[in-house]
Amino acid sequence: MWRPRIVAFFCKWCAGAAAEAAGVSRMHYDPSVIPIIVPCTGRVSPEMVMHAFLNGADGVLIGGCHTPNDCHYIAGNFKAFKRIYMLRKLLQQAGIEPERLRIEWISATEAVKLVRVVNEFSETIRRLGPLGGKHA
Amino acid sequence: MFVCHCGVNIAGTVNVKRVVEEALKMPGVVHAEDYVYLCSQPGQELIARVIREKALDGVVVAACSPSLHYETFAKVVEGAGLSRYRYEMVSIRELDSWVHIDKEAATDKAIRIIAAAVAKLAGDRHYDMIKMNVVKKLLVIGGGIAGITAALTAARMGIPVMLVEKSPTIGGKMAMLSETFPTLDCAQCILTPLMAEVARHPLIKIYTLAEVEDVTGSVGNFRVRIRVRPRGVKVEDCRLCGFCERVCPVQVPNEFNRGLNKRKAIYIPFPQAIPSAYAVDFEHCTKCGLCLKVCPTKAIDLEMRSEVIEDVVGAIVIATGYDLYPGSKVSEYRYGIQNDVIDSLQFERILSVQGPTRGEMRRPSDGRPIKRIVFIQCVGSRDVNHLPYCSKVCCMYTAKHALLFKERVPDGEAYVFYIDVRASGKGFEEFVKRAQEEAGVQYIKGRVSRIYKDRVTGDVVVEGFDLLLNREIVIKADLVVLALGMVPAIDRGLVEKLKIAVDQYMFVSEVHPKLRPVETAVPGVFVAGAAQGPKDIPESIAQSMAAAAKAAELLLRGYIEKEPIIAEVDRDRCNGCRICISICPYDAIELSEGRAVVNEAKCEGCGACTAACPVGAIQLRNYRNEQALKMIEAVLTVR
Amino acid sequence: MLKLAVIPGAICGGCDVALASVGEDLLKLLKYYEIVYWPTVIDRRMSELEDIDIIDVLIYMGGISTKHELENAKKLSAKSRIKVAFGTCSVYGGIPGFNTLYSPLEVENFIKRQSTMHLQQDRFGLPEVVEYMAYTDVIEPEILIPGCPPTEKVLDQFVKILIDYAQSRRLQGRHILLGDPESLCRSCPRKPKDMSKIVMPGIKRLYEVKLDETKCFLEQGVLCMGPATRAICNHSCIANNFPCYGCGGPVEINSDSGLAMLSALSSLFMVDKEKSLMETGLARELDKVADPIGYFFKYTLPKSYLSRIIKMRKGEKSAR
């Protein structure tokens, strides 16, 4: 039975901390999302996202700090936003559902939001189905 | 690879035995073991022993959150002779076993998380800590109570200080105050000893009429350029006799008294000014030379030029203080048009025995005795049309003003228009109650809609609304005092030079409002006092001491050690396109011979450059592009 | 005499013109090489190639879009010593690479309905369309010459290599990618002397700015692919007031230069106004890039991550 494969890039200061807080509070969420911790969402390149899709990811989730001022490195989240915005346009133009790529701002205190986003996104990907390829 | 059971916290959900099996299949893994509590003494010893016995050159620990035990295992690894940068830790507890009930899924996820760490580790390299020399010197920008406190705190720790102040004297706004709440201490009496101590202290060098012109460099080594405007008077020779002042023909508004009276072009802001000397206001001086003729010590030099001081400091404290919000912007109150509508600092000067009225309660326009006075709180503050925030100190100083007024004019009437009364400090509530109940100050909850002068009676008519009585109220007063909001006094140029973050009001932003209130995002640059946000004197002093202490943390050590996980450039691949330089939030990348080079001191390791470089020339150490791609592959294809 | 063949795949003719424009230097080659096939220049039949056992140098121009081209490319390459992927279409797929967005069936339908080929189908038949690919997807050539078309600079290099090979019978290296191993920014005439930061003021079309002929395009808001494009030319477009479109492909053959530029430009774009514009303002301005595929992947689509994902999605084996 197909299970969605989702790679998440969480920045260690905000979304990553929120994910840990969710753990400490024993909040349960969909296990389809595998987290990779990055120092900042600004570190996430479009190549990393596409590499994930090419290697079997059905969805990619990026969790960072709230704009405008929460980013530990000042404006890395804006870089991530701009790149992902452009990448989503590219995907859409190519006929790949841009909903498969989602970027969210989740502060370290928003464990509830993290759980919601992970569950929502897993459901979205379930609905969209596998991206395709031999992994499907 | 070491997997922790963490009792049942992990092992209850994740099949740790299977994880070990799968880990052994991962490239480069020669040993995989599970243990019940890795952070325990035997657990740690286990890791150390295996490293030595099997001559491991890399370790992955899969356990609880790195925020708990990253350092623990890093020390174990180093103790066993391995670089801490050849060790990775991942959480399969907070991020896995604690958040999933499906054991199969949790085990699968743990394997993938570990696979990513193993893949990353393959590309990890050792780097030496970056050691940077720190110049043991502190620059304090601003000579008010915050700057003075920071300077003294640092100097008392043996740190040389440069105190830079743009007016001719230190002391700031506090020198203008008559008494301070809630103790009603005479402001000058508690301030001037501090000012004198600053002047005396061998480690503090005061630069007045000075501004910071440029700052380059980074923490531990800030190269600063200070421009000192000419004083026109040699400080060592001035005897404060005042003859020059008497003969000077030029009169201009006295800024120390906020325009309530005049001063000469050669003047001393107040008698206790430090440096203890007169100053020439070259903007208005006509160079008539009369003062030169009467000075007994030939201390005056009208040809003095500005000086440039260049130096290197290890840390900077910003203590630039505040200004009052321009009252004329609240046009309905006629500030700047009506002379008897004044601001709180002007009222301080009227209260002061050294002020324009020698402490007598007389109003500015005609000197009429003040019998009925109206205070309006929140002028400009808590107002969407002006400053949305609360300026914090006005409720307290208004109560103080009203109280002092009533002490001097026992048969006088004092009214305070307020929205709320914020009296949160020690003794503050009691102080306000004293004003209201003992001194009989009338507090009216409501706002004032209009102020105008009655030409016939000379009264200042205040039209407002009394919310609690639900009716309009008109007061014919002698004087109206506006509690104008506090705005930061820092100028944009300095903000840009220091590359500090400021909020939309230009208050200096601290790194973390709760946990790190005196540090800015720029390492080595600290903030204290009203420059960071509206606050009163005790808070400014506390914050200044904190800022000095934080600065001392790095200045007293002599060097700083920095984590070497920063970006580095492959100069052969770099084409000098300048894209990384343009996006780096710390300005940590420069061009050298047409190629990018990373400033070790400034780079914070965010990796934005790594993701932006069009040719992959700049890479974040131990999180290079190849590593990231391998991690992603591992997560998705390990099984 | 060594045998040299110039084989056209899915071409536009530009590579023929470029190679022919080498001019007199071509005559130098004739000392060593016999041109056994080059329809543009000599009159020989493709069928004559069947009698040749070994082709010494096969210059393949263009991409591969039909079964016939594919079979021909394979057959001829199999018996060639030195294979040269000539031109960006051959190396990376080039502009016809947009075909990869569509299935062969969709392309066929297009031909039937919208092109004029169907008018002659009774006479010539319709081509059997295959999944579009670059020549490099069929075999690994010894020499790769990017450029749309290849420039004087790389053609000079090429001629030298051919002469050297003819004399020594050895190639200096394997899979030689011509052009300089650096991006156009390295020696760009529009780079400022003071090496200051680039402040990219939004996204502007060429006609929307009064172009400063000495300043970097990015500083004026005009997109330029220079930072990720291999230096195969002497900045011919850039020095003539035209931003680079990336026809030289990536600096390193396996890089996805389109994706790299997407990242670089998105990162750089309006960095000084991020906090004031916020996401909505930034998005509005970024929307001015109406055709990201067309801009970033004009020449390299078949080699890009995007294309490989699309292929994967269609269920076909990835060509790499």
PDB file of all heavy atoms in Angstrom, chain B residues 299-323:
ATOM      1  N   ALA B 299      42.103  80.864  27.219  1.00  0.00           N
ATOM      2  CA  ALA B 299      41.641  79.483  26.957  1.00  0.00           C
ATOM      3  C   ALA B 299      40.877  79.361  25.654  1.00  0.00           C
ATOM      4  O   ALA B 299      40.663  78.269  25.148  1.00  0.00           O
ATOM      5  CB  ALA B 299      40.769  79.004  28.113  1.00  0.00           C
ATOM      6  N   ILE B 300      40.438  80.524  25.108  1.00  0.00           N
ATOM      7  CA  ILE B 300      39.573  80.464  23.922  1.00  0.00           C
ATOM      8  C   ILE B 300      40.404  80.431  22.653  1.00  0.00           C
ATOM      9  O   ILE B 300      41.376  81.180  22.498  1.00  0.00           O
ATOM     10  CB  ILE B 300      38.632  81.689  23.896  1.00  0.00           C
ATOM     11  CG1 ILE B 300      37.806  81.727  25.174  1.00  0.00           C
ATOM     12  CG2 ILE B 300      37.713  81.620  22.666  1.00  0.00           C
ATOM     13  CD1 ILE B 300      36.942  82.947  25.308  1.00  0.00           C
ATOM     14  N   ASP B 301      40.034  79.550  21.746  1.00  0.00           N
ATOM     15  CA  ASP B 301      40.714  79.452  20.452  1.00  0.00           C
ATOM     16  C   ASP B 301      39.649  79.292  19.388  1.00  0.00           C
ATOM     17  O   ASP B 301      39.146  78.193  19.147  1.00  0.00           O
ATOM     18  CB  ASP B 301      41.657  78.245  20.466  1.00  0.00           C
ATOM     19  CG  ASP B 301      42.315  78.022  19.112  1.00  0.00           C
ATOM     20  OD1 ASP B 301      42.146  78.859  18.195  1.00  0.00           O
ATOM     21  OD2 ASP B 301      42.995  76.986  18.956  1.00  0.00           O
ATOM     22  N   LEU B 302      39.317  80.409  18.735  1.00  0.00           N
ATOM     23  CA  LEU B 302      38.222  80.355  17.759  1.00  0.00           C
ATOM     24  C   LEU B 302      38.637  79.697  16.456  1.00  0.00           C
ATOM     25  O   LEU B 302      37.807  79.450  15.585  1.00  0.00           O
ATOM     26  CB  LEU B 302      37.689  81.770  17.498  1.00  0.00           C
ATOM     27  CG  LEU B 302      37.021  82.429  18.704  1.00  0.00           C
ATOM     28  CD1 LEU B 302      36.552  83.831  18.350  1.00  0.00           C
ATOM     29  CD2 LEU B 302      35.842  81.594  19.203  1.00  0.00           C
ATOM     30  N   GLU B 303      39.885  79.408  16.313  1.00  0.00           N
ATOM     31  CA  GLU B 303      40.353  78.749  15.093  1.00  0.00           C
ATOM     32  C   GLU B 303      40.475  77.242  15.255  1.00  0.00           C
ATOM     33  O   GLU B 303      41.000  76.552  14.384  1.00  0.00           O
ATOM     34  CB  GLU B 303      41.726  79.317  14.687  1.00  0.00           C
ATOM     35  CG  GLU B 303      41.730  80.805  14.434  1.00  0.00           C
ATOM     36  CD  GLU B 303      40.621  81.224  13.475  1.00  0.00           C
ATOM     37  OE1 GLU B 303      40.504  80.600  12.395  1.00  0.00           O
ATOM     38  OE2 GLU B 303      39.863  82.145  13.812  1.00  0.00           O
ATOM     39  N   MET B 304      40.004  76.735  16.387  1.00  0.00           N
ATOM     40  CA  MET B 304      40.094  75.291  16.609  1.00  0.00           C
ATOM     41  C   MET B 304      39.426  74.531  15.487  1.00  0.00           C
ATOM     42  O   MET B 304      38.361  74.927  15.001  1.00  0.00           O
ATOM     43  CB  MET B 304      39.393  74.951  17.936  1.00  0.00           C
ATOM     44  CG  MET B 304      40.215  74.099  18.842  1.00  0.00           C
ATOM     45  SD  MET B 304      39.251  73.587  20.255  1.00  0.00           S
ATOM     46  CE  MET B 304      40.223  74.243  21.571  1.00  0.00           C
ATOM     47  N   ARG B 305      40.041  73.404  15.112  1.00  0.00           N
ATOM     48  CA  ARG B 305      39.484  72.597  14.030  1.00  0.00           C
ATOM     49  C   ARG B 305      38.918  71.307  14.603  1.00  0.00           C
ATOM     50  O   ARG B 305      39.285  70.918  15.710  1.00  0.00           O
ATOM     51  CB  ARG B 305      40.614  72.200  13.057  1.00  0.00           C
ATOM     52  CG  ARG B 305      41.192  73.342  12.282  1.00  0.00           C
ATOM     53  CD  ARG B 305      40.530  73.427  10.910  1.00  0.00           C
ATOM     54  NE  ARG B 305      39.614  74.558  10.851  1.00  0.00           N
ATOM     55  CZ  ARG B 305      39.976  75.779  10.482  1.00  0.00           C
ATOM     56  NH1 ARG B 305      41.231  76.034  10.173  1.00  0.00           N
ATOM     57  NH2 ARG B 305      39.096  76.730  10.432  1.00  0.00           N
ATOM     58  N   SER B 306      38.101  70.631  13.810  1.00  0.00           N
ATOM     59  CA  SER B 306      37.617  69.333  14.298  1.00  0.00           C
ATOM     60  C   SER B 306      38.736  68.316  14.196  1.00  0.00           C
ATOM     61  O   SER B 306      39.659  68.459  13.399  1.00  0.00           O
ATOM     62  CB  SER B 306      36.405  68.875  13.495  1.00  0.00           C
ATOM     63  OG  SER B 306      36.784  68.531  12.194  1.00  0.00           O
ATOM     64  N   GLU B 307      38.649  67.338  15.036  1.00  0.00           N
ATOM     65  CA  GLU B 307      39.692  66.321  15.098  1.00  0.00           C
ATOM     66  C   GLU B 307      39.098  64.979  14.718  1.00  0.00           C
ATOM     67  O   GLU B 307      37.914  64.739  14.952  1.00  0.00           O
ATOM     68  CB  GLU B 307      40.123  66.194  16.550  1.00  0.00           C
ATOM     69  CG  GLU B 307      41.536  66.575  16.865  1.00  0.00           C
ATOM     70  CD  GLU B 307      41.845  66.157  18.295  1.00  0.00           C
ATOM     71  OE1 GLU B 307      41.364  66.850  19.215  1.00  0.00           O
ATOM     72  OE2 GLU B 307      42.523  65.128  18.468  1.00  0.00           O
ATOM     73  N   VAL B 308      39.930  64.124  14.188  1.00  0.00           N
ATOM     74  CA  VAL B 308      39.453  62.767  13.922  1.00  0.00           C
ATOM     75  C   VAL B 308      40.261  61.809  14.793  1.00  0.00           C
ATOM     76  O   VAL B 308      41.486  61.834  14.792  1.00  0.00           O
ATOM     77  CB  VAL B 308      39.639  62.399  12.434  1.00  0.00           C
ATOM     78  CG1 VAL B 308      39.398  60.914  12.223  1.00  0.00           C
ATOM     79  CG2 VAL B 308      38.670  63.193  11.582  1.00  0.00           C
ATOM     80  N   ILE B 309      39.550  61.001  15.546  1.00  0.00           N
ATOM     81  CA  ILE B 309      40.226  60.013  16.395  1.00  0.00           C
ATOM     82  C   ILE B 309      39.954  58.641  15.811  1.00  0.00           C
ATOM     83  O   ILE B 309      38.797  58.294  15.558  1.00  0.00           O
ATOM     84  CB  ILE B 309      39.652  60.023  17.830  1.00  0.00           C
ATOM     85  CG1 ILE B 309      39.547  61.449  18.376  1.00  0.00           C
ATOM     86  CG2 ILE B 309      40.448  59.118  18.743  1.00  0.00           C
ATOM     87  CD1 ILE B 309      40.830  62.018  18.856  1.00  0.00           C
ATOM     88  N   GLU B 310      41.014  57.887  15.583  1.00  0.00           N
ATOM     89  CA  GLU B 310      40.813  56.516  15.095  1.00  0.00           C
ATOM     90  C   GLU B 310      41.355  55.561  16.127  1.00  0.00           C
ATOM     91  O   GLU B 310      42.421  55.766  16.679  1.00  0.00           O
ATOM     92  CB  GLU B 310      41.535  56.331  13.757  1.00  0.00           C
ATOM     93  CG  GLU B 310      40.831  57.092  12.655  1.00  0.00           C
ATOM     94  CD  GLU B 310      41.353  56.757  11.272  1.00  0.00           C
ATOM     95  OE1 GLU B 310      42.466  56.212  11.184  1.00  0.00           O
ATOM     96  OE2 GLU B 310      40.646  57.056  10.301  1.00  0.00           O
ATOM     97  N   ASP B 311      40.603  54.516  16.364  1.00  0.00           N
ATOM     98  CA  ASP B 311      41.056  53.559  17.366  1.00  0.00           C
ATOM     99  C   ASP B 311      40.418  52.203  17.086  1.00  0.00           C
ATOM    100  O   ASP B 311      39.528  52.078  16.246  1.00  0.00           O
ATOM    101  CB  ASP B 311      40.665  54.056  18.767  1.00  0.00           C
ATOM    102  CG  ASP B 311      41.610  53.537  19.837  1.00  0.00           C
ATOM    103  OD1 ASP B 311      42.320  52.534  19.578  1.00  0.00           O
ATOM    104  OD2 ASP B 311      41.635  54.126  20.936  1.00  0.00           O
ATOM    105  N   VAL B 312      40.868  51.207  17.834  1.00  0.00           N
ATOM    106  CA  VAL B 312      40.298  49.863  17.695  1.00  0.00           C
ATOM    107  C   VAL B 312      39.734  49.449  19.044  1.00  0.00           C
ATOM    108  O   VAL B 312      40.414  49.572  20.066  1.00  0.00           O
ATOM    109  CB  VAL B 312      41.367  48.825  17.267  1.00  0.00           C
ATOM    110  CG1 VAL B 312      40.687  47.494  16.955  1.00  0.00           C
ATOM    111  CG2 VAL B 312      42.126  49.323  16.061  1.00  0.00           C
ATOM    112  N   VAL B 313      38.480  48.984  19.039  1.00  0.00           N
ATOM    113  CA  VAL B 313      37.876  48.537  20.293  1.00  0.00           C
ATOM    114  C   VAL B 313      37.374  47.112  20.127  1.00  0.00           C
ATOM    115  O   VAL B 313      37.157  46.650  19.006  1.00  0.00           O
ATOM    116  CB  VAL B 313      36.692  49.452  20.707  1.00  0.00           C
ATOM    117  CG1 VAL B 313      37.163  50.871  20.934  1.00  0.00           C
ATOM    118  CG2 VAL B 313      35.583  49.413  19.681  1.00  0.00           C
ATOM    119  N   GLY B 314      37.171  46.449  21.231  1.00  0.00           N
ATOM    120  CA  GLY B 314      36.715  45.070  21.171  1.00  0.00           C
ATOM    121  C   GLY B 314      35.195  44.938  21.206  1.00  0.00           C
ATOM    122  O   GLY B 314      34.652  43.960  20.708  1.00  0.00           O
ATOM    123  N   ALA B 315      34.528  45.939  21.787  1.00  0.00           N
ATOM    124  CA  ALA B 315      33.071  45.858  21.893  1.00  0.00           C
ATOM    125  C   ALA B 315      32.492  47.267  21.943  1.00  0.00           C
ATOM    126  O   ALA B 315      33.208  48.230  22.197  1.00  0.00           O
ATOM    127  CB  ALA B 315      32.653  45.082  23.130  1.00  0.00           C
ATOM    128  N   ILE B 316      31.207  47.341  21.651  1.00  0.00           N
ATOM    129  CA  ILE B 316      30.544  48.641  21.591  1.00  0.00           C
ATOM    130  C   ILE B 316      29.234  48.570  22.371  1.00  0.00           C
ATOM    131  O   ILE B 316      28.497  47.586  22.250  1.00  0.00           O
ATOM    132  CB  ILE B 316      30.225  49.023  20.130  1.00  0.00           C
ATOM    133  CG1 ILE B 316      31.513  49.074  19.309  1.00  0.00           C
ATOM    134  CG2 ILE B 316      29.484  50.349  20.048  1.00  0.00           C
ATOM    135  CD1 ILE B 316      31.302  49.321  17.834  1.00  0.00           C
ATOM    136  N   VAL B 317      28.972  49.601  23.155  1.00  0.00           N
ATOM    137  CA  VAL B 317      27.665  49.701  23.814  1.00  0.00           C
ATOM    138  C   VAL B 317      26.955  50.924  23.257  1.00  0.00           C
ATOM    139  O   VAL B 317      27.491  52.025  23.266  1.00  0.00           O
ATOM    140  CB  VAL B 317      27.788  49.835  25.347  1.00  0.00           C
ATOM    141  CG1 VAL B 317      26.419  50.103  25.967  1.00  0.00           C
ATOM    142  CG2 VAL B 317      28.386  48.575  25.947  1.00  0.00           C
ATOM    143  N   ILE B 318      25.758  50.698  22.758  1.00  0.00           N
ATOM    144  CA  ILE B 318      24.971  51.817  22.236  1.00  0.00           C
ATOM    145  C   ILE B 318      24.080  52.335  23.360  1.00  0.00           C
ATOM    146  O   ILE B 318      23.279  51.578  23.907  1.00  0.00           O
ATOM    147  CB  ILE B 318      24.082  51.352  21.079  1.00  0.00           C
ATOM    148  CG1 ILE B 318      24.947  50.772  19.965  1.00  0.00           C
ATOM    149  CG2 ILE B 318      23.246  52.511  20.541  1.00  0.00           C
ATOM    150  CD1 ILE B 318      24.154  50.064  18.908  1.00  0.00           C
ATOM    151  N   ALA B 319      24.270  53.596  23.709  1.00  0.00           N
ATOM    152  CA  ALA B 319      23.479  54.183  24.800  1.00  0.00           C
ATOM    153  C   ALA B 319      23.032  55.560  24.365  1.00  0.00           C
ATOM    154  O   ALA B 319      23.218  56.541  25.068  1.00  0.00           O
ATOM    155  CB  ALA B 319      24.332  54.257  26.067  1.00  0.00           C
ATOM    156  N   THR B 320      22.428  55.614  23.196  1.00  0.00           N
ATOM    157  CA  THR B 320      22.136  56.912  22.593  1.00  0.00           C
ATOM    158  C   THR B 320      20.876  57.579  23.115  1.00  0.00           C
ATOM    159  O   THR B 320      20.557  58.698  22.732  1.00  0.00           O
ATOM    160  CB  THR B 320      22.023  56.757  21.064  1.00  0.00           C
ATOM    161  OG1 THR B 320      21.232  55.595  20.792  1.00  0.00           O
ATOM    162  CG2 THR B 320      23.388  56.560  20.442  1.00  0.00           C
ATOM    163  N   GLY B 321      20.132  56.884  23.953  1.00  0.00           N
ATOM    164  CA  GLY B 321      19.038  57.551  24.658  1.00  0.00           C
ATOM    165  C   GLY B 321      17.836  57.920  23.808  1.00  0.00           C
ATOM    166  O   GLY B 321      17.582  57.332  22.770  1.00  0.00           O
ATOM    167  N   TYR B 322      17.121  58.936  24.300  1.00  0.00           N
ATOM    168  CA  TYR B 322      15.849  59.254  23.667  1.00  0.00           C
ATOM    169  C   TYR B 322      15.696  60.744  23.393  1.00  0.00           C
ATOM    170  O   TYR B 322      16.493  61.565  23.842  1.00  0.00           O
ATOM    171  CB  TYR B 322      14.700  58.805  24.566  1.00  0.00           C
ATOM    172  CG  TYR B 322      14.538  59.655  25.825  1.00  0.00           C
ATOM    173  CD1 TYR B 322      13.630  60.719  25.879  1.00  0.00           C
ATOM    174  CD2 TYR B 322      15.285  59.387  26.969  1.00  0.00           C
ATOM    175  CE1 TYR B 322      13.484  61.491  27.013  1.00  0.00           C
ATOM    176  CE2 TYR B 322      15.154  60.158  28.107  1.00  0.00           C
ATOM    177  CZ  TYR B 322      14.251  61.206  28.136  1.00  0.00           C
ATOM    178  OH  TYR B 322      14.123  61.971  29.274  1.00  0.00           O
ATOM    179  N   ASP B 323      14.684  61.057  22.653  1.00  0.00           N
ATOM    180  CA  ASP B 323      14.203  62.429  22.495  1.00  0.00           C
ATOM    181  C   ASP B 323      12.710  62.389  22.764  1.00  0.00           C
ATOM    182  O   ASP B 323      12.111  61.310  22.786  1.00  0.00           O
ATOM    183  CB  ASP B 323      14.427  62.925  21.059  1.00  0.00           C
ATOM    184  CG  ASP B 323      15.830  63.447  20.861  1.00  0.00           C
ATOM    185  OD1 ASP B 323      16.408  63.979  21.821  1.00  0.00           O
ATOM    186  OD2 ASP B 323      16.363  63.284  19.739  1.00  0.00           O
TER     187      ASP B 323
END
